[in-house]
Amino acid sequence: MKEIIHYELRFSAIGGQGIITAGAMLAEAVVQYKGLYAIHSPRYTAQVRGGPTKVDVVIDKNPIYFPKTTDVDYYLATSEKSFRTYFQDIKEGAIIVLDSNLVEEFNDPKYRVYRIPLIETAAKEIGNVVTVSTLSLAVTAKLTGLLSLEELEDFIPKRVPKGYEDINLKAVRLGFSLV
Amino acid sequence: MRKVVMPGNETIAHAAIAAGCRFYAGYPITPSSELAAEMSKLLPKVGGKFIQMEDEIASMAAAIGASVAGMKAMTATSGPGFSLKQEHIGLACMMEVPVVIVNVMRGGPSTGLPTHPAQGDVMQARWGTHGDHPIIALAPAFPTEIYMETIRAFNLAERFRNPVILLIDEILAHTYEVVEIPEPGEITLEERKLPPSGLNRLDFYTYNRREGDPPLLPNFFQGYNFHFESLAHDEMGFPTTDPEKVAYLARLREAKIEKHREEIWKNEEYLLEDAELVIFAYGSVARAAKEAVNRLRAEGAKVGLFRPITLWPFPEIPLKKAVGARKVLVAEMNLGQMVYEVERVLRRDVATLFKADGTPISPVEFVEKIRGEL
């Protein structure tokens, strides 16, 4: 992994999809495995389920003063509406990951865009749509190099609810192989 | 010390338990609800009581009731709920009952912006309840500080027998950050002083009370008969309209905070020594300010930050000392509230950066504003 000085990520979705959880897990894991400082700061509307939501994750070598993003390096979105709502402060050259079934065509040479059917993969290939949180986390870890496969294989079984360890481990491995 | 990743709301709940809080009454309201949820999980494990009351007024009353029965008590709310609690905050001030009130600030007025941050309640924290009354309000900004200031809120409440208001905002409440939790032996807890047993009837009211001291009131069920009175009362707790007696008790209530304000004041001074411009900011806004100070210093601009952690009583002397004759920029997530205090204390106009649209002031906005000022 290249040395991280400061890195900003944003995950946006429709409330209830589980993407906020992906951001939460990422922040916890980098604190635990990399000894870095990390915060995650969710934003949702009064309409919690079904409304556009996002979570900002800031990772830094030093304690973090401003707990929000100002230059986003990585943006993952699983809904058209939330993708557009929170398309702000995205850095040129940023990695953008979009759910290919739920976000419309987006081509801009200023960004590195990946289109992955995240929710469909979780539902059909892994067999439970709730694993989309772990799947998105794994995709993010692979694309950014923030966490290794081994680290996630150690972290995920301890973090997810009892009885869901195996399918989430499957999601980790699949996420690493998708990109 | 151990490190845990938690949002501010949960941090306050854990700190309250560590401070000895064993009673919580509340009515859930965004963005404070997670605090109540966490208390409902934690309190039963330590033999404490959690009650979800029918509304904010009742939950404030229940917290006061638990406190007079001897428990360290807390309630938490946000904007509209804070308005409702004001009547009983006055009651607690009048009856000199220790209690901690957490207000997670969101956009207002009225129901405003339930899921967005603001700092619009800082004057309400001082003057929300009617009549002259003493108050303490704390505004921590960083995760570990939120933990420690929660403990301090309980300590101050117990020591001075007064409501203490802990102010955070939606950003601090919901941002998950690394909190460094001290071991139980690393924190100091203040327990309220009680009158000795065996005093003659109502003698505890006057026992050892000097101007500047909180009263030595017994807890319920300690064996004393006594009055808790919301009307202006004499030192025995009986209602009175005698101007001399009314003024005397009012003076005692004010003096207990006033005389100890230097111990209550707490602030951070960041890179002030050679600063040509001093930012005055508190709570989450001060974090953006601190980041901006670093960015501006990297360009060679001489900027510093004065960050009050105790908002009330207002840090008159520390502010005056820290700022001197230098330029000042007051930044708040409201349309200008603490700026009145800053201008009162410094006796001059200052530059301002206000924002009340539900979004935080960013370091970028600070940098642009300050480049224009220098």
Side-chain angles (χ1 to χ4, degrees):
Chain A
M1 191 187 90
K2 59 182 189 301
E3 199 208 358
I4 295 286
I5 294 165
H6 186 87
Y7 200 79
E8 298 185 0
L9 304 94
R10 176 171 298 158
F11 298 77
S12 84
I14 291 297
Q17 281 180 327
I19 296 301
I20 300 275
T21 309
M25 292 195 293
L26 175 72
E28 284 170 38
V30 295
V31 169
Q32 213 172 308
Y33 293 93
K34 303 296 185 192
L36 295 164
Y37 288 88
I39 61 119
H40 64 102
S41 189
R43 153 80 50 236
Y44 40 87
T45 60
Q47 177 196 6
V48 173
R49 279 197 173 49
T53 62
K54 69 155 172 148
V55 60
D56 283 348
V57 180
V58 181
I59 298 168
D60 203 295
K61 215 173 79 170
N62 299 307
I64 294 156
Y65 292 156
F66 186 56
K68 294 275 177 191
T69 49
T70 52
D71 292 293
V72 178
D73 300 281
Y74 179 95
Y75 184 27
L76 181 144
T78 56
S79 119
E80 174 67 19
K81 190 177 176 191
S82 55
F83 171 60
R84 303 281 168 191
T85 305
Y86 298 116
F87 192 88
Q88 296 150 6
D89 305 323
I90 311 294
K91 226 187 216 173
E92 210 174 313
I95 301 170
I96 297 184
V97 178
L98 303 171
D99 190 302
S100 46
N101 292 323
L102 298 168
V103 182
E104 284 168 26
E105 217 36 60
F106 174 80
N107 286 312
D108 190 328
K110 279 199 300 212
Y111 309 103
R112 287 163 56 197
V113 182
Y114 295 82
R115 296 183 65 83
I116 306 167
L118 289 165
I119 291 177
E120 192 186 345
T121 305
K124 291 193 181 150
E125 283 192 48
I126 305 167
N128 191 331
V129 73
V130 301
T131 60
V132 72
S133 309
T134 304
L135 182 69
S136 304
L137 170 63
V139 165
T140 303
K142 176 78 181 288
L143 284 174
T144 59
L146 284 169
L147 291 157
S148 69
L149 177 62
E150 294 69 34
E151 284 161 343
L152 280 189
E153 283 175 338
D154 182 61
F155 173 75
I156 283 295
K158 295 178 206 153
R159 177 62 169 72
V160 298
K162 276 201 173 66
Y164 291 85
E165 295 91 341
D166 289 345
I167 52 165
N168 277 289
L169 272 175
K170 197 172 158 191
V172 168
R173 288 166 194 145
L174 190 62
F176 262 80
S177 68
L178 276 181
V179 281
Chain B
M1 189 267 284
R2 59 203 166 87
K3 286 187 181 180
V4 185
V5 176
M6 281 195 290
N9 277 339
E10 286 179 23
T11 304
I12 293 175
H14 285 264
I17 298 292
C21 174
R22 292 297 177 266
F23 184 88
Y24 181 98
Y27 187 78
I29 179 168
T30 301
S32 75
S33 301
E34 298 83 4
L35 205 167
E38 195 66 10
M39 287 306 272
S40 75
K41 287 182 218 157
L42 297 176
L43 274 170
K45 291 183 193 160
V46 293
K49 295 271 183 285
F50 173 94
I51 306 182
Q52 181 173 326
M53 297 296 288
E54 69 269 32
D55 60 36
E56 286 88 347
I57 302 173
S59 50
M60 188 68 225
I64 293 171
S67 181
V68 296
M71 283 172 129
K72 290 187 183 176
M74 176 168 81
T75 186
T77 190
S78 179
F82 193 49
S83 293
L84 290 170
K85 286 183 194 292
Q86 293 303 331
E87 177 179 351
H88 283 335
I89 291 174
L91 180 67
C93 290
M94 188 58 143
M95 303 194 312
E96 304 191 68
V97 175
V99 59
V100 173
I101 303 111
V102 181
N103 177 25
V104 182
M105 291 185 281
R106 68 189 219 186
S110 191
T111 46
L113 292 161
T115 57
H116 292 61
Q119 294 180 325
D121 309 347
V122 286
M123 278 292 171
Q124 190 186 20
R126 179 65 194 91
W127 296 116
T129 197
H130 56 277
D132 295 298
H133 60 278
I135 205 79
I136 297 172
L138 312 175
F142 293 92
T144 304
E145 188 176 273
I146 291 174
Y147 190 93
M148 298 310 288
E149 287 300 291
T150 302
I151 291 171
R152 195 163 77 100
F154 278 96
N155 284 349
L156 292 170
E158 294 296 320
R159 179 172 167 203
F160 294 111
R161 294 197 63 105
N162 208 73
V164 174
I165 294 162
L166 188 68
L167 293 167
I168 59 166
D169 63 41
E170 187 275 335
I171 296 175
L172 299 174
H174 286 156
T175 302
Y176 285 71
E177 302 187 75
V178 179
V179 188
E180 294 175 353
I181 297 184
E183 298 304 321
E186 295 168 349
I187 53 173
T188 314
L189 298 185
E190 193 99 30
E191 306 299 331
R192 77 182 67 160
K193 290 200 179 78
L194 298 170
S197 46
L199 292 177
N200 227 351
R201 296 199 66 233
L202 300 177
D203 285 356
F204 60 82
Y205 276 113
T206 46
Y207 183 80
N208 252 349
R209 183 158 202 191
R210 289 175 307 244
E211 200 173 310
D213 290 342
L216 281 177
L217 299 182
N219 292 330
F220 276 177
F221 319 118
Q222 207 190 316
Y224 285 110
N225 298 327
F226 67 105
H227 307 100
F228 271 116
E229 180 54 70
S230 67
L231 287 168
H233 45 270
D234 63 19
E235 55 182 349
M236 304 301 225
F238 288 100
T240 180
T241 54
D242 180 329
E244 223 172 276
K245 289 178 177 170
V246 170
Y248 177 62
L249 255 267
R251 193 165 73 242
L252 288 188
R253 285 193 301 270
E254 293 294 329
K256 67 183 178 185
I257 306 294
E258 182 67 24
K259 291 218 165 157
H260 297 97
R261 58 183 194 165
E262 300 201 3
E263 297 159 59
I264 301 170
W265 283 335
K266 197 171 176 188
N267 41 269
E268 185 194 1
E269 296 178 10
Y270 185 64
L271 303 179
L272 281 189
E273 210 163 287
D274 63 341
E276 287 162 14
L277 182 144
V278 180
I279 304 172
F280 176 99
Y282 53 90
S284 69
V285 173
R287 297 180 57 160
K290 211 168 171 179
E291 174 67 30
V293 167
N294 286 351
R295 292 187 192 181
L296 285 159
R297 287 260 167 190
E299 301 175 0
K302 288 181 177 160
V303 183
L305 169 71
F306 180 89
R307 176 172 75 89
I309 299 165
T310 304
L311 287 188
W312 304 111
F314 188 75
E316 297 169 2
I317 297 167
L319 177 69
K320 231 188 249 179
K321 247 191 225 167
V323 169
R326 294 183 275 197
K327 266 191 187 170
V328 175
L329 171 72
V330 175
E332 305 182 74
M333 245 191 302
N334 56 43
L335 296 177
Q337 296 196 14
M338 293 308 278
V339 67
Y340 292 119
E341 286 296 294
V342 175
E343 290 184 340
R344 174 180 69 80
V345 168
L346 300 178
R347 307 214 180 275
R348 59 184 161 98
D349 291 342
V350 296
T352 58
L353 177 56
F354 302 143
K355 199 178 185 189
D357 63 359
T359 64
I361 302 174
S362 79
V364 178
E365 287 166 278
F366 266 108
V367 168
E368 279 166 14
K369 175 78 189 173
I370 291 167
R371 276 191 195 135
E373 291 293 329
L374 283 173

